[in-house]
Amino acid sequence: MTTHSRNRTKDRGPAQPPAASGESPASAGGRAAARKQRKRGGRRALKIIAWTTGALMLLGAGGAAYAYVKLNGNIAASDLYAGTGGDAGHEKPDAFGRTPINILMIGSDVRGNAADCKLGGACDDAAGQRADVEMVVHISADRSNATVMSIPRDLRTDLKGCDDKQNGTSVGPQSNAMINSALNWGPGCSVAAVHNLTGITIDHFMMVDFSGVVNMSEAIGGVGICVDKNVYDPYSHLKLSKGPHTLKGESALQFLRTRHGFGVGTDTGRTVSQHMFLTSMINSLKSAGTLSNPKKVWSLAQAATKSLTVDHGLQSIQQLIGLADDVNKVPTDRITFATMQTQGEDMLTIAPGAKSLFKTIADDQSLTTATGKGKKPAAPAPAAPAKSGTAVDVENGTTVTGRAGVIAGVLTDHGFSRKTTSGNGAAADKTTLTYPAADKERAKTVASALGLPSSALKERGGSSAADGTGGTSGTGGTGGSGAPGLVLLIGADWESGDSFPNSKVGPDPADTQQALDNASSQNGKDTGECAPVSTFGTVGETYDGKVTTSSDAPRGMTPTEAYALSPGVKNSAP
């Protein structure tokens, strides 16, 4: 892009010469001459101001053009999605046409140059890369709140095939693989892995390497962090005394990478300390005037763009600035940090509660109130029957193949019984939900979930079969007991969509208590707490008076004990 700047000044003719030496304005022509001279002097001053302003504008425009080209040239880009099937999802606009933004933040452990090798240790695995950090950053459609969800790098899951055509890498489906390994085949494969795991639409990704973390932390002047005990992790080389510190450069990278210093020595403890770092950094950026200081902004932009790989939708400075503006609109007390729920220790797998957190993000539901406090889930109406015990026979009365299966899937996604069935029914112009008198409340629950109008509900005689025994699709909802249950016949008035046309159905209210249960959540304003140093034996034993980092060494020493036994190791920060 070329920036043009034009500054046109109207020609008012040459300036008149001053009065001869020794002549005062009065002696040269009286008061009229003096007024004329003052007028000419004023015009000359205005011209000087105009020329100076024009020059500054041209210099400013030239500087802006130079900065634009230079920063744009720093940014590397790659395809957003590299899965072998499907895509990264599509956002649903709200009632005002606004859409949320979901960004996958990736911290790469690639050692692609000498600087990264020095920061990350030996370069024996330089040919590949893994994700040291994976966070889904969700910005709500109305920009009033945000959720940052960390995905532990040790999580094991099934990875689908991936084909990154841009980077010329491909891999087939993998069972029980660590999710961070997907980055070996490019960031688009990481996007595919996270989307397939969570069901959350991924709109963009941003990937940064070791050098980027170091340079950006220095550009913003450091990040304030406190630890509640002395800590030494010989694996990441983080060594800090108890109390507050300002981390920048390598010390910031050490803090973000340590896993033996916090928690129980797994990645879940590391995500908590990372959230504390981000919370402190965000508050510092907003309160210290960093973003209003041109020198600091330029340094930060230089550091960030040199280390960034983004998807093509974020490839220009203008697009990055737009994204930064969206993020900046969110108050810090409306940001929730959480770690997806896992189970196990060294072999982490997804825990049942994680699905509630995924759904809350996918449905664009806030995990904070306007005061920044965690929302309490709305108490369910006492008369509402349990969805899990309500089965529905869904019948297709349209000409759209598979329509009943789609709606049956919507019901089970809403939490209705897995015994819900689907099949073909009689052709129908209108959608109806028939039910026996005993199942009136169950029918209302189904209608509410799908947005069906009250006119679609039809009571009929017979006993209940909606308790999970199920019916036989296509036979009028006759279950194994012969009793008819809830039968949803989809008519020609509902041939597409997950909810009935023109209904006001939205997602179920967020159960934030369940979504954040065991998620180690914290609020964006929680800056007063110190990172809790691990009290477990996460560090190897000592040999010949030295702390070992050998993977063969037995563990049993706390990071605080390791600190005491390492007086010769320099602290990471004063």
Side-chain angles (χ1 to χ4, degrees), residues 464-517:
S464 173
D467 59 357
T469 58
T472 303
S473 60
T475 62
T478 303
S481 63
L486 298 178
V487 180
L488 174 62
L489 178 61
I490 305 171
D493 56 350
W494 188 17
E495 293 186 335
S496 63
D498 292 352
S499 58
F500 193 77
N502 301 318
S503 67
K504 296 182 179 180
V505 170
D508 293 339
D511 186 341
T512 56
Q513 183 176 354
Q514 185 178 29
L516 295 178
D517 187 32

Side-chain angles (χ1 to χ4, degrees), residues 80-99:
L80 174 64
Y81 184 85
T84 52
D87 53 31
H90 302 276
E91 300 290 4
K92 296 180 181 178
D94 66 8
F96 300 95
R98 304 169 299 188
T99 54

Side-chain angles (χ1 to χ4, degrees), residues 191-394:
V191 169
V194 171
H195 175 63
N196 291 330
L197 171 73
T198 66
I200 297 170
T201 294
I202 305 297
D203 303 294
H204 300 290
F205 75 79
M206 300 177 72
M207 183 172 69
V208 64
D209 58 22
F210 289 163
S211 300
V213 174
V214 169
N215 295 335
M216 283 189 283
S217 66
E218 289 179 341
I220 64 177
V223 176
I225 283 294
C226 173
V227 292
D228 69 351
K229 299 179 188 67
N230 293 342
V231 57
Y232 176 43
D233 176 4
Y235 302 84
S236 69
H237 307 295
L238 177 74
K239 187 182 182 186
L240 295 172
S241 60
K242 176 182 178 180
H245 304 274
T246 298
L247 305 183
K248 57 183 176 180
E250 289 190 44
S251 64
L253 179 65
Q254 290 167 358
F255 185 87
L256 289 170
R257 295 197 72 212
T258 185
R259 59 186 298 170
H260 300 92
F262 307 104
V264 295
T266 64
D267 200 50
T268 52
R270 172 162 60 178
T271 61
V272 173
S273 58
Q274 288 170 347
H275 294 165
M276 288 184 168
F277 184 95
L278 290 174
T279 298
S280 178
M281 183 181 71
I282 291 169
N283 281 274
S284 296
L285 284 171
K286 289 198 172 190
S287 63
T290 301
L291 298 180
S292 61
N293 184 317
K295 185 177 180 180
K296 287 186 176 180
V297 168
W298 172 251
S299 298
L300 182 58
Q302 277 275 73
T305 54
K306 281 182 179 179
S307 307
L308 272 183
T309 300
V310 299
D311 64 280
H312 294 296
L314 289 179
Q315 196 172 357
S316 75
I317 291 299
Q318 288 177 324
Q319 291 160 330
L320 286 171
I321 289 173
L323 177 61
D325 184 55
D326 283 326
V327 174
N328 197 42
K329 291 175 183 176
V330 181
T332 52
D333 63 355
R334 300 296 308 280
I335 302 174
T336 300
F337 293 89
T339 301
M340 69 160 283
Q341 297 89 332
T342 56
Q343 53 194 2
E345 293 184 7
D346 293 331
M347 300 278 288
L348 298 180
T349 57
I350 185 172
K355 292 185 178 180
S356 295
L357 182 55
F358 298 163
K359 187 176 187 303
T360 300
I361 295 173
D363 289 343
D364 191 24
Q365 294 178 321
S366 174
L367 288 169
T368 59
T369 62
T371 59
K373 303 296 183 182
K375 290 174 64 177
K376 294 182 179 179
K387 292 180 179 179
S388 60
T390 300
V392 184
D393 286 350
V394 185

Side-chain angles (χ1 to χ4, degrees), residues 415-464:
F416 288 92
S417 173
R418 291 288 175 181
K419 294 183 179 180
T420 291
T421 61
S422 63
N424 292 322
D429 293 328
K430 293 185 176 181
T431 298
T432 57
L433 175 60
T434 57
Y435 61 91
D439 280 338
K440 184 175 182 179
E441 293 304 319
R442 293 181 187 272
K444 286 182 178 180
T445 302
V446 172
S448 177
L450 297 176
L452 296 176
S454 57
S455 58
L457 275 63
K458 307 293 182 183
E459 183 179 328
R460 67 171 188 274
S463 60
S464 173

